[in-house]
Amino acid sequence: MTGTRSCSVDGCDRDHYAHGLCMTHYQRQRRHGSPEIVHRRGRKPRAEQEARR
Ligand SMILES: [Zn+2]
């Protein structure tokens, strides 16, 4: 372990943001209730990506 505080998610070495998580995982935790949950891309219709602003 290093002295630097970083994300507690396994395999993630991003900088600590809040609650022991990096910003990415912290937002994921807030949204989905778990930092491990990821909405997989690739199953969405292409129109949805193109409509994104
Ligand atoms: Zn993380």
Side-chain angles (χ1 to χ4, degrees), residues 25 28-38:
H25 284 126
R28 208 173 280 171
Q29 165 87 41
R30 288 191 61 192
R31 277 192 182 206
H32 311 301
S34 169
E36 306 283 357
I37 293 175
V38 185

Side-chain angles (χ1 to χ4, degrees), residues 7-9 12 14 21-22 24-25:
C7 182
S8 63
V9 173
C12 179
R14 280 181 277 250
L21 301 166
C22 66
T24 300
H25 284 126

Side-chain angles (χ1 to χ4, degrees), residues 5-28:
R5 210 173 173 196
S6 61
C7 182
S8 63
V9 173
D10 213 22
C12 179
D13 58 357
R14 280 181 277 250
D15 290 338
H16 174 261
Y17 177 69
H19 295 272
L21 301 166
C22 66
M23 188 182 289
T24 300
H25 284 126
Y26 176 65
Q27 289 177 345
R28 208 173 280 171

